[in-house]
Amino acid sequence: AQKITQTQPGMFVQEKEAVTLDCTYDTSDPSYGLFWYKQPSSGEMIFLIYQGSYDQQNATEGRYSLNFQKARKSANLVISASQLGDSAMYFCAMRGLPLRVQGAQKLVFGQGTRLTINP
Amino acid sequence: DTAVSQTPKYLVTQMGNDKSIKCEQNLGHDTMYWYKQDSKKFLKIMFSYNNKELIINETVPNRFSPKSPDKAHLNLHINSLELGDSAVYFCASSRPDRVLTNTGELFFGEGSRLTVL
């Protein structure tokens, strides 16, 4: 079974500063994937970034980067130069091996971190 | 064009009623899901269908019954609604696993907020 832990219920950051959101995981699957999603107050779930367990390099997508430390089982999200629009809930999630050949992906989510960017 | 669309977006109903939430995706994906987000924002998978076949069926009361008439649609019917069913229900889909670049990313709908009074 997979487990995701986000230990920061809330974070407050000044605009333009960098912010790191913590995520640790646990799994016995040899291959897995890690995701970060953003949920603004409007409620939709927005995919931000993905890291595969065998990827050699840390994933980056614009201002988002994923600090993947496999030995520590951590997959922290780093947002550079934060903006007011970054204020939202952020969820870390993971998937293990597909459950069947057809490939249903069971994503397990963490509890989320509410990020507030102050002007 | 909305990729994953759910209706209704808001649903307010009395305890004991039966209600349905509909979901449609136009992404050509084979697999669809229902997730429940509770009042503490915790997201948990309920069901998954692959090409109309039930693949994932988590520990969910029998009052919840998914139905997939075709691979582009996945509906959720809830019988005898209880107060604890109040939540946001998200529909999602994912690419076929045969696609080599498939990361398993979920494409979510906008959510359906169910309030049971």
Side-chain angles (χ1 to χ4, degrees):
Chain A
Q2 288 98 36
K3 186 178 178 183
I4 291 281
T5 303
Q6 295 179 252
T7 56
Q8 305 154 311
M11 284 194 71
F12 295 83
V13 172
Q14 283 301 118
E15 193 179 5
K16 298 181 185 174
E17 288 182 354
V19 57
T20 297
L21 304 181
D22 294 341
C23 172
T24 57
Y25 62 90
D26 193 22
T27 182
S28 55
D29 284 347
S31 172
Y32 50 91
L34 295 151
F35 304 80
W36 279 92
Y37 280 84
K38 173 184 178 181
Q39 187 177 40
S41 57
S42 51
E44 72 268 33
M45 295 289 290
I46 302 168
F47 167 72
L48 295 178
I49 197 166
Y50 167 81
Q51 178 85 42
S53 58
Y54 286 109
D55 291 343
Q56 295 295 316
Q57 304 215 333
N58 284 347
T60 60
E61 288 286 348
R63 294 186 299 111
Y64 304 108
S65 60
L66 202 152
N67 184 1
F68 180 45
Q69 299 191 38
K70 197 170 182 177
R72 289 184 160 190
K73 294 190 174 181
S74 73
N76 298 340
L77 176 71
V78 180
I79 307 174
S80 63
S82 57
Q83 302 170 356
L84 295 179
D86 294 333
S87 294
M89 283 288 288
Y90 288 81
F91 292 95
C92 181
M94 77 176 299
R95 63 149 180 84
L97 295 171
L99 293 185
R100 293 267 297 270
V101 171
Q102 295 93 328
Q105 302 286 356
K106 183 175 176 179
L107 256 67
V108 174
F109 284 81
Q111 309 94 310
T113 296
R114 183 174 296 280
L115 175 64
T116 303
I117 308 298
N118 295 317
Chain B
D1 283 346
T2 304
V4 181
S5 59
Q6 300 177 223
T7 54
K9 195 167 181 180
Y10 299 97
L11 192 51
V12 181
T13 189
Q14 299 287 332
M15 259 193 329
N17 284 349
D18 304 339
K19 290 294 176 187
S20 291
I21 306 172
K22 296 186 175 183
C23 180
E24 175 182 3
Q25 54 94 5
N26 62 6
L27 297 168
H29 292 168
D30 287 354
T31 309
M32 296 183 71
Y33 308 79
W34 279 110
Y35 275 78
K36 178 181 179 180
Q37 186 174 43
D38 64 23
S39 57
K40 295 184 178 178
K41 299 289 190 182
F42 185 61
L43 268 159
K44 192 171 190 304
I45 190 168
M46 300 172 70
F47 303 102
S48 174
Y49 271 75
N50 178 277
N51 206 8
K52 301 191 296 177
E53 182 186 354
L54 182 64
I55 302 293
I56 298 173
N57 186 357
E58 291 291 286
T59 309
V60 176
N62 291 339
R63 299 181 294 103
F64 290 79
S65 54
K67 281 191 173 50
S68 182
D70 56 61
K71 71 176 190 176
H73 295 84
L74 179 62
N75 304 324
L76 182 66
H77 189 76
I78 316 170
N79 290 328
S80 303
L81 279 157
E82 301 178 357
L83 293 176
D85 298 332
S86 295
V88 179
Y89 293 85
F90 282 97
C91 178
S93 68
S94 62
R95 295 188 186 96
D97 201 55
R98 62 181 178 275
V99 174
L100 292 179
T101 56
N102 185 22
T103 64
E105 171 197 347
L106 294 183
F107 294 76
F108 283 91
E110 293 183 331
S112 297
R113 181 176 293 277
L114 171 65
T115 303
V116 181
L117 303 175

